[in-house]
Amino acid sequence: MGFWYFLILFIGISLVALALIKRSMHTSRKWAMLVAGVGMVALSLFMFQDGSAEIVDNLLKSMNIDL
């Protein structure tokens, strides 16, 4: 599972970098890329923490979603 979290982390970092570097991009697209990138980085860093699987499991159980 760690491979996928690293992949999400690097995709998020790339989106943030592209949003900050590109000058000719439309403002709304730039903000969307920035928000998506920060969200992906935050999600991957959260999932790397100890106990995050139990938190997600409890959250899905409270929403009555069986996986």
Side-chain angles (χ1 to χ4, degrees):
M1 294 299 276
F3 169 76
W4 299 109
Y5 302 149
F6 270 118
L7 187 63
I8 292 171
L9 178 67
F10 290 129
I11 291 172
I13 290 172
S14 331
L15 285 175
V16 170
L18 281 174
L20 294 176
I21 291 173
K22 287 280 196 173
R23 299 261 187 228
S24 62
M25 192 182 308
H26 195 287
T27 306
S28 62
R29 178 178 280 177
K30 187 179 285 195
W31 278 105
M33 284 178 62
L34 192 63
V35 168
V38 168
M40 291 175 86
V41 168
L43 175 69
S44 66
L45 291 178
F46 167 72
M47 291 306 291
F48 275 124
Q49 300 299 314
D50 291 334
S52 64
E54 289 83 14
I55 294 171
V56 172
D57 183 46
N58 290 337
L59 181 64
L60 292 176
K61 282 182 183 176
S62 69
M63 295 171 44
N64 294 326
I65 297 175
D66 290 328
L67 295 176

